[in-house]
Amino acid sequence: MTFSIVARDGGQWGVAVASKFLAVGAYVPAGRAGAGALATQAWANLAYKADGIALLAEGREAAAVVDALTRNDEMASKRQLGVVGTATAATYTGSECSAWAGGRAGDDYAIQGNILTGPEVVEAAERALLATTGPLARRLLAALRAADDAGGDSRGRQSAALLVVEEGGGYGGGSDVLVDLRVDDSPAPVPELFRLLDLYDLYFGKPDPATLVAFEDVRDEVDALLRKLGYAGVAEWDRWVGTENYEERDVPDKVDPLVLDRLRAQAGS
């Protein structure tokens, strides 16, 4: 029912997944910073998530985690699993998973799928993952899109999700969940996931110091744009920033060009 990519990049672990299944992100992915990540699918055993992460946190190798989870599972032949730990990765496909089903694994990734149009789906995901540079979230989505373009789930499309964990990566540093985005029901879930990641980067990404402009240089423009939106000019800049949730990009006496562009667009300028 699903195809997924589990990967590690430095101190980040992540899972990207898509399926002809409602809210796949609620069931398949799991991860913990410093331990690893996994995807449980086909006839998904959700107990694999907590149990598998606990085993990874003990320092077990990925193959040993797969063996421990499937060994006494009476339905293991119908399960599919991808696991990436701190140094190893493994993929597992039970003998009774619906065709086409299979996977590929490397040192720091595991790619798997079932009810796919064919092996070209996981092969395309692997090529894209290895060829793409940049943040892990972007690499995972590139692999997911390549798999989807290659045929994906043979039954069609419905949902997709992206999970990335990193120590202290959560909002305000209070958790390890760096990215947790889901498209629960859509005819085009993978493109929608890209749109959401772009918004995530806008709202929660940090401004590039090299691109910041002095507030005084754009004061008159900002004042006019805010007044056009019904604010009391630059005196309510902080109010507008808070209303639009751009706090992560707010720098004293500076303006992030991305935020200025959003203000222009909102004001119809």
Side-chain angles (χ1 to χ4, degrees):
M1 68 176 186
T2 304
F3 54 98
S4 65
I5 304 98
V6 188
R8 178 186 70 252
D9 192 344
Q12 295 183 351
W13 285 260
V15 182
V17 57
S19 182
K20 176 67 169 66
F21 192 85
L22 181 68
V24 69
Y27 306 104
V28 169
R32 183 190 301 175
L38 62 83
T40 174
Q41 56 197 55
W43 285 86
N45 185 340
L46 299 194
Y48 283 4
K49 296 169 71 171
D51 293 346
I53 294 299
L55 292 169
L56 288 169
E58 292 175 1
R60 304 275 191 101
E61 292 190 353
V65 172
V66 169
D67 180 66
L69 293 176
T70 59
R71 186 186 312 126
N72 298 315
D73 184 348
E74 294 181 354
M75 292 184 63
S77 63
K78 297 180 181 294
R79 315 286 195 200
Q80 197 167 46
L81 180 63
V83 179
V84 176
T86 57
T88 59
T91 185
Y92 167 85
T93 298
S95 59
E96 295 184 64
C97 286
S98 298
W100 186 89
R104 302 173 72 93
D107 291 339
D108 52 11
Y109 65 88
I111 303 169
Q112 45 284 315
N114 61 92
I115 321 184
L116 303 182
T117 56
E120 64 275 4
V121 176
V122 295
E123 292 166 1
E126 182 180 44
R127 287 194 300 271
L129 181 72
L130 296 177
T132 304
T133 59
L136 179 59
R138 293 288 171 179
R139 295 181 62 213
L140 287 168
L141 282 199
L144 196 70
R145 176 166 57 189
D148 195 43
D149 289 346
D153 190 322
S154 62
R155 301 166 307 161
R157 300 168 174 85
Q158 186 169 9
S159 66
L162 173 67
L163 173 69
V164 178
V165 296
E166 178 183 42
E167 192 67 39
Y171 184 76
S175 79
D176 68 349
V177 180
L178 179 64
V179 181
D180 187 3
L181 299 174
R182 303 177 182 183
V183 179
D184 287 344
D185 185 30
S186 169
V190 174
E192 176 64 6
L193 203 54
F194 270 90
R195 187 185 73 84
L196 292 178
L197 184 58
D198 287 343
L199 288 177
Y200 171 87
D201 287 343
L202 172 66
Y203 291 123
F204 304 116
K206 302 300 182 183
D208 180 356
T211 67
L212 295 175
V213 298
F215 195 92
E216 285 302 316
D217 291 345
V218 292
R219 172 180 287 272
D220 290 345
E221 180 185 8
V222 169
D223 187 81
L225 292 171
L226 288 174
R227 290 183 186 281
K228 190 174 180 180
L229 292 173
Y231 291 86
V234 293
E236 291 197 295
W237 166 257
D238 289 342
R239 179 186 164 209
W240 178 80
V241 166
T243 298
E244 300 303 322
N245 297 309
Y246 296 136
E247 296 92 339
E248 294 295 309
R249 291 190 173 275
D250 193 28
V251 179
D253 301 320
K254 302 286 185 179
V255 177
D256 186 330
L258 292 178
V259 174
L260 182 57
D261 285 345
R262 298 291 286 195
L263 176 59
R264 289 166 175 158
Q266 189 176 349
S269 176

